[in-house]
Amino acid sequence: MEITTSSIRGLAHRCEEFLDDRGESSAISYPGSLALCILDSVYSTGSHPNAVDNVVDRYIARHGREDGAKSLRYSIAAAGGAEVWAEQVVCNLKPASTHPGAMLKAEVVDQATRLMAEYGIDTVTDLLETLVDEPSPGRSTTGLAGRWRDLPSQRSGISWKNLLMLAGSPHFEIDYRVTNCIAEVAGFGIDVTDDYVLVLIEEVADVLGAEEREVRRIVWQLSHRRLLSKRKPASTAWRYGLDADSDVLVEVGVEGWHGGAEAADPAWDHEWTMPYSTPGASGAAPF
């Protein structure tokens, strides 16, 4: 496999914004709270990042940063149900899809906490230990991932993959959004396979001195618009030793890895995954 230094520079420039000088990531994760992982994963689908941040911040203001799935379920019950909780605790009444009569995202969150209870899962550690027995989080699984996808408006699995990233799972499923993100930096005519994505991320992690799993999380969240870049396109000023005035092939290879990329399907089970409205565009403002 051949990867160019310009591709490495391009992706590194996009990821560097979310890494400090020690290679520590500012990508979004909640290693100490499954409640926050569930909230973020469900609310992030089809929502502006600021709206998701507001939901999480309001919950933290009420309950702190360490709640498990059980405490989240109790919070909803104590409020008098999902609709009242959505209105009074997180102040977000967004529906789970664009279909008329769709249930609120808060109701999906409530069902997700009950699903976790069925599997005896309360903490992030519980979730990660359960996933060890599920080698594939793909659509065909009959385990927890499959049950999550059976939740209302969650068939595409985007929220499930969000959950894995937020919880720190090593699972990294390359979907069409990740592929499109990589294609933007790889250049015209490059066959962006799953192996290409993984190797490019590995090379970028090495260049930036960061953990590979953190670069994967950044790439996922950038691809799915959970993170928004505020940087301008990369300039020729580069401090990582890759010559910006030339484009050199870097020969690398991957053995023993089998990807699970899913084809893009705009009608994929009708889950609401359309981008949020951008500033100045028509449509409802994020809330």
Side-chain angles (χ1 to χ4, degrees), residues 33-275:
S33 175
L34 186 55
L36 300 183
C37 290
I38 292 172
L39 282 176
D40 196 306
S41 65
V42 173
Y43 274 93
S44 63
T45 305
S47 298
H48 192 283
N50 290 346
V52 186
D53 290 340
N54 288 339
V55 167
V56 173
D57 289 345
R58 288 162 186 156
Y59 186 88
I60 290 173
R62 182 72 67 96
H63 297 293
R65 299 176 177 272
E66 300 180 355
D67 273 4
K70 184 185 298 183
S71 294
L72 176 56
R73 186 171 75 253
Y74 288 168
S75 174
I76 295 171
E83 184 172 357
V84 178
W85 179 85
E87 184 176 7
Q88 297 182 358
V89 177
V90 297
C91 305
N92 189 303
L93 292 166
K94 192 165 188 175
S97 79
T98 55
H99 288 183
M103 68 169 51
L104 299 177
K105 285 180 178 285
E107 295 176 276
V108 178
V109 167
D110 189 30
Q111 291 193 26
T113 64
R114 297 175 188 277
L115 174 61
M116 293 297 170
E118 288 183 37
Y119 280 79
I121 296 172
D122 184 38
T123 67
V124 170
T125 299
D126 294 338
L127 174 64
L128 297 180
E129 289 177 350
T130 299
L131 293 177
V132 170
D133 297 325
E134 293 193 24
S136 171
R139 301 178 73 187
S140 61
T141 181
T142 57
L144 176 60
R147 293 287 305 282
W148 180 284
R149 292 171 190 259
D150 288 338
L151 294 173
S153 301
Q154 308 306 308
R155 178 56 58 186
S156 77
I158 297 297
S159 63
W160 171 252
K161 298 168 195 174
N162 287 339
L163 183 72
L164 300 185
M165 289 292 100
L166 295 167
S169 168
H171 291 109
F172 179 65
E173 193 169 352
I174 301 168
D175 63 10
Y176 74 97
R177 296 188 185 210
V178 172
T179 300
N180 288 346
C181 177
I182 297 299
E184 291 179 6
V185 300
F188 178 76
I190 300 296
D191 183 16
V192 183
T193 63
D194 288 358
D195 285 356
Y196 185 97
V197 172
L198 290 173
V199 174
L200 181 58
I201 288 175
E202 181 181 354
E203 294 293 319
V204 167
D206 184 58
V207 166
L208 296 177
E211 291 189 27
E212 190 174 334
R213 66 176 182 176
E214 292 302 330
V215 176
R216 289 183 179 187
R217 196 199 321 265
I218 293 170
V219 168
W220 173 268
Q221 292 180 354
L222 280 171
S223 301
H224 290 264
R225 299 179 180 178
R226 183 62 183 92
L227 289 175
L228 296 179
S229 176
K230 299 179 181 178
R231 300 183 69 171
K232 297 179 180 179
S235 67
T236 56
W238 187 249
R239 59 192 178 96
Y240 292 102
L242 295 176
D243 186 358
D245 294 324
S246 63
D247 197 12
V248 182
L249 290 176
V250 180
E251 295 188 5
V252 292
V254 174
E255 296 180 359
W257 189 91
H258 301 283
E262 296 172 342
D265 181 357
W268 205 5
D269 203 65
H270 310 294
E271 180 177 348
W272 189 16
T273 57
M274 295 299 292

Side-chain angles (χ1 to χ4, degrees), residues 277-282:
S277 299
T278 54
S282 60

